């Protein structure tokens, strides 16, 4: 029997929308302020997944300059009808306080690889939109309704409105078809039709440790919807430390052999309830009762290991974790903050064999940072790069960064000091409080400098080396810099305000003078413990 090992998409991959088209399975997940927008993964066996090109790869589809932390793309929904793929997503512009500015868009394509169309604006009445295609050929938009008024339930229900695919616009009345269960925070609607019922799957309980997936059904599309008497169908046991936590936000798929699975988000706390890898994607096997209710096998709590479907095994096709930047295209796991890859700030050709980053704005900017990063997907890992960089003054920096958002990051950077000359130091931002933990930066000799980060769960240690190693890569004289750092604050679980992304590790360059001084990175090596 094949086994699905959860999470199937480790690291920051929240809000999964799963879809089958013939023998192909696809998952779309949220990317928030990271560009390109929406992560796609493909499988034929539900066990091995490979990343596909992201659909939102140009600013005309997704303009996130200035988007807030944990804004941008929320909860995409991927569907297929009338010979085309349809992708719905929210671009969140504000979320603090009473109001949320949440613009919902639709793009489409004949092939999953694209090209994807320009976006159609649908509405802005709430977030977590999805598109349901009924058996009669009609299509329907769903989203949660945000009610900002005093004394009201902000999560005011699930809106349903017909979408005219030919004319590309919403039409007819808006129906509030479901106001939720006592769990509250009703969001993330998905509709399915089976055995004469419409099944409405929603997320409830908030995205933290009380997160859950609930199910209701109706014989009529517009309701009324009967709540499953055993709800929640899926949730986590917060008292079981080794269990997948925060389970919820589910999406269903039926295999070609009639087996059912639920893709859902989850998280794995590292220390003190903090989930440094962010919210991840898992799969649970499902079954239907004799009276047509959905059940998670072994549920309602999620399992780490799940029986796989009766499908042909697919060989893994993962991209290499080491990037030498010799290809004219970036690996698909690379992402930037808020802006597209273009030669105004990034180049793979100006110095062949190097990634050139032209110094941008600071780490707290929500506009034009020059930062290229990949998801942290392991808690035991070494990350290494070699840097050519010759700053002229302290406002110019470049190096290796572990980044959660504008308030929380750890940065090993090269800069210049008036006394020390070119030097190496560490910057820490913890909940927005800036610090330089070293008593003094370390002066550097001329030439390239190697930078390495070694992570052991919540503990990070930086190293550096100068000089040229021998042909076999040995002889690198790694020197520790600074004491081990507790980086568990790089997590969703902010003490003041909930966040939604995950930790990234990558390369960046800043030039706060505005001159755009370039930094050249010769390689990027991500080495999980099991591969060393």
């Amino acid at each position: 029997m094949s086994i699905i090992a959860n999470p199937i998409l480790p690291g920051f991959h929240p809000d999964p929308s799963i879809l089958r088209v013939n023998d192909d399975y696809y998952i779309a997940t949220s990317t928030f302020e990271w560009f390109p927008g929406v992560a796609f993964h493909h499988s034929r066996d539900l066990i091995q997944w490979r990343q596909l090109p992201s659909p939102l790869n140009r600013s005309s589809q997704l303009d996130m300059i200035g988007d807030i932390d944990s804004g941008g793309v929320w909860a995409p929904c991927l569907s297929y009808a009338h010979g085309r793929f349809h992708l719905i997503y929210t671009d969140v512009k504000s979320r603090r306080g009473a109001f949320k500015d949440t613009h919902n868009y639709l793009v489409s394509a004949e092939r999953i690889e694209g090209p994807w169309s320009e976006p159609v604006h649908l509405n802005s009445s709430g977030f977590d939109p999805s598109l349901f295609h009924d058996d009669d050929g009609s299509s329907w938009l769903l989203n949660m309704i945000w009610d900002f008024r005093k004394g009201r339930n902000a999560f005011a229900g699930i809106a349903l409105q017909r979408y005219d695919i030919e004319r590309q616009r919403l039409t007819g009345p808006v129906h509030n078809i479901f106001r939720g269960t006592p769990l509250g925070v009703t969001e993330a609607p998905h509709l399915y039709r089976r055995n004469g019922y419409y099944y409405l799957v929603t997320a409830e309980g908030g995205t933290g440790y009380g997160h859950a997936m609930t199910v209701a059904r109706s014989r009529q599309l517009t309701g009324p919807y009967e709540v499953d008497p055993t709800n929640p169908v899926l949730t986590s046991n917060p008292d079981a430390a080794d269990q997948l936590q925060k389970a919820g936000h589910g999406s269903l798929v039926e295999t070609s052999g009639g087996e059912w699975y639920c893709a859902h988000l989850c998280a794995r706390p590292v220390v003190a309830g903090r989930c440094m890898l962010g919210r991840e994607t898992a799969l649970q096997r499902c079954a239907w009762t004799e009276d047509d209710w959905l059940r998670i096998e072994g549920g309602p709590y999620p399992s780490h290991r799940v029986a796989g479907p009766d499908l042909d095994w697919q060989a893994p096709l993962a991209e290499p974790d080491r990037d030498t930047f010799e290809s004219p295209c970036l690996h698909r796991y690379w992402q930037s903050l808020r802006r597209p890859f273009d030669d105004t700030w990034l180049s793979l050709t100006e110095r062949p064999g190097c990634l050139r980053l032209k110094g941008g704005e600071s780490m707290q900017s929500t506009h034009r940072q020059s930062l290229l990063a990949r998801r942290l997907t392991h808690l035991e890992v070494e990350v290494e790069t070699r840097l050519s960089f010759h700053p002229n003054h302290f406002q110019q920096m470049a190096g290796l960064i572990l980044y959660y958002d504008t308030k929380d990051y750890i940065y090993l950077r090269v800069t210049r000091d008036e006394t020390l000359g070119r030097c190496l130091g560490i910057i820490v931002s913890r909940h927005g409080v800036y610090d330089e933990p070293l008593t003094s930066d370390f002066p550097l000799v001329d030439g390239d400098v190697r930078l390495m980060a070694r992570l052991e769960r919540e503990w990070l240690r930086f190293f550096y080396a100068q000089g040229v190693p021998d042909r076999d890569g040995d002889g690198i004289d790694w020197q520790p810099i600074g004491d081990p750092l507790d980086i568990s604050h790089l997590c969703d679980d902010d003490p003041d305000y909930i966040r939604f992304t995950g930790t990234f590790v990558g390369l960046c360059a800043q030039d706060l003078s505005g001159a755009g001084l370039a930094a050249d990175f010769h390689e990027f090596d991500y080495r999980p413990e099991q591969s060393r």
Side-chain angles (χ1 to χ4, degrees):
M1 176 188 295
S2 61
I3 297 294
I4 295 171
N6 283 318
I8 56 166
L9 302 180
F12 163 55
H13 291 103
D15 312 324
S17 169
I18 192 167
L19 171 70
R20 177 175 68 89
V21 179
N22 299 321
D23 294 327
D24 294 293
Y25 298 84
Y26 306 101
I27 288 179
T29 52
S30 299
T31 43
F32 291 84
E33 65 262 37
W34 292 91
F35 203 96
V38 182
F40 277 172
H41 286 80
H42 167 259
S43 178
R44 284 183 173 267
D45 61 8
L46 299 184
I47 297 171
Q48 303 290 342
W49 294 85
R50 67 182 180 97
Q51 191 167 354
L52 298 176
S54 292
L56 308 179
N57 56 21
R58 52 191 189 272
S59 56
S60 60
Q61 297 169 310
L62 181 64
D63 184 358
M64 294 193 295
I65 298 298
D67 276 13
I68 55 173
D69 288 339
S70 290
V73 175
W74 286 19
C77 176
L78 183 64
S79 63
Y80 186 82
H82 310 294
R84 292 185 71 84
F85 290 93
H86 304 272
L87 178 72
I88 296 189
Y89 59 97
T90 307
D91 182 9
V92 176
K93 298 302 185 184
S94 73
R95 67 182 189 92
R96 284 183 177 268
F99 301 100
K100 283 182 171 54
D101 293 287
T102 58
H103 307 308
N104 295 320
Y105 298 95
L106 168 68
V107 293
S108 65
E110 291 184 2
R111 300 171 62 251
I112 193 71
E113 295 85 359
W116 286 80
S117 69
E118 290 299 299
V120 175
H121 177 251
L122 300 170
N123 65 24
S124 302
S125 61
F127 48 86
D128 290 3
S130 68
L131 196 62
F132 168 65
H133 306 284
D134 208 345
D135 294 344
D136 63 1
S138 62
S139 297
W140 300 82
L141 175 72
L142 299 97
N143 61 269
M144 66 78 65
I145 304 167
W146 183 257
D147 190 339
F148 56 84
R149 295 173 294 178
K150 183 178 179 180
R152 303 296 183 101
N153 180 4
F155 290 77
I158 302 301
L160 174 77
Q161 188 176 12
R162 187 162 184 168
Y163 178 72
D164 188 322
I165 286 182
E166 292 297 324
R167 294 189 288 172
Q168 296 187 318
R169 67 180 183 88
L170 294 168
T171 183
V174 178
H175 306 272
N176 190 335
I177 61 172
F178 186 63
R179 295 186 180 273
T181 78
L183 280 175
V185 196
T186 307
E187 56 189 348
H190 292 286
L191 264 179
Y192 305 90
R193 192 168 185 178
R194 179 184 181 273
N195 285 2
Y197 284 107
Y198 292 94
Y199 288 90
L200 178 63
V201 176
T202 61
E204 293 195 299
T207 60
Y209 282 86
H211 202 207
M213 183 185 89
T214 55
V215 176
R217 71 184 184 189
S218 173
R219 295 286 188 183
Q220 304 298 322
L221 177 63
T222 56
Y225 279 81
E226 171 193 10
V227 174
D228 187 326
T230 69
N231 269 334
V233 171
L234 175 69
T235 192
S236 294
N237 180 0
D239 295 327
D242 61 344
Q243 188 185 98
L244 297 172
Q245 293 295 327
K246 304 184 181 179
H249 201 117
S251 174
L252 306 180
V253 68
E254 182 182 13
T255 72
S256 54
E259 301 168 279
W260 284 81
Y261 286 84
C262 172
H264 65 93
L265 69 78
C266 64
R268 293 176 289 171
V270 179
V271 61
R274 297 175 179 177
C275 303
M276 294 164 53
L277 299 183
R279 297 173 302 154
E280 307 170 292
T281 286
L283 271 180
Q284 304 299 324
R285 191 177 177 92
C286 304
W288 294 90
T289 65
E290 290 184 359
D291 56 348
D292 289 320
W293 286 112
L294 181 77
R295 295 289 176 262
I296 301 294
E297 281 197 3
Y301 301 146
S303 300
H304 281 280
R305 294 174 66 81
V306 175
D310 184 18
L311 298 171
D312 291 336
W313 182 77
Q314 167 190 308
L317 296 169
E319 291 186 292
D321 283 326
R322 186 170 188 265
D323 196 341
T324 58
F325 303 118
E326 294 174 343
S327 169
C329 299
L330 289 166
H331 289 316
R332 290 170 184 166
Y333 51 67
W334 287 115
Q335 296 216 252
S336 63
L337 279 169
R338 298 178 177 84
R339 60 171 170 166
F341 306 142
D342 64 51
D343 58 11
T344 64
W345 68 277
L346 176 154
S347 175
L348 292 168
T349 58
E350 289 184 13
R351 185 175 178 181
C354 288
L355 167 72
R356 171 161 289 181
L357 296 181
K358 301 170 186 178
E361 296 176 346
S362 76
M363 297 78 72
Q364 72 182 41
S365 172
T366 60
H367 290 76
R368 293 172 178 84
Q369 290 200 47
S370 295
L371 187 154
L372 190 72
R374 57 163 290 169
R375 291 161 177 80
L376 183 68
T377 54
H378 302 80
L379 291 171
E380 307 280 342
V381 65
E382 287 180 351
V383 183
E384 179 186 343
T385 190
R386 178 163 64 97
L387 171 63
S388 298
F389 182 57
H390 304 284
N392 299 309
H393 53 79
F394 74 93
Q395 291 180 315
Q396 296 168 334
M397 302 178 287
L400 182 63
I401 194 166
L402 281 87
Y403 185 94
Y404 185 92
D405 64 12
T406 61
K407 293 181 174 59
D408 285 274
Y409 51 85
I410 313 288
Y411 187 17
L412 178 63
R413 58 91 177 101
V414 174
T415 188
R416 180 168 290 276
D417 177 80
E418 293 88 343
T419 302
L420 298 173
R422 195 174 71 130
C423 56
L424 181 67
I426 298 172
I427 291 174
V428 174
S429 180
R430 182 176 282 104
H431 307 310
V433 178
Y434 176 93
D435 189 25
E436 298 175 18
L438 302 181
T439 55
S440 175
D441 285 357
F442 284 71
L444 297 171
V445 299
D446 291 340
D448 295 351
V449 58
R450 292 178 177 271
L451 308 176
M452 182 171 70
R454 179 178 295 156
L455 180 65
E456 297 178 359
R457 296 182 63 81
E458 74 271 27
W459 292 103
L460 175 73
R461 192 79 187 267
F462 282 128
F463 299 83
Y464 76 103
Q466 300 181 90
V468 179
D470 61 31
R471 185 172 300 176
D472 296 325
D474 298 325
I476 299 178
D477 184 20
W478 288 110
Q479 299 293 320
I481 179 169
D483 295 325
L485 297 165
D486 181 350
I487 65 166
S488 60
H489 61 101
L490 304 185
C491 69
D492 293 349
D493 310 282
D494 185 279
D496 299 320
Y497 199 73
I498 190 170
R499 303 184 287 189
F500 302 124
T501 56
T503 303
F504 280 67
V505 59
L507 311 169
C508 60
Q510 297 78 29
D511 191 340
L512 306 184
S513 75
L517 181 69
D520 292 329
F521 296 89
H522 295 259
E523 61 192 24
F524 182 90
D525 199 1
Y526 181 97
R527 298 188 294 268
E529 181 184 33
Q530 62 266 31
S531 66
R532 299 203 300 270

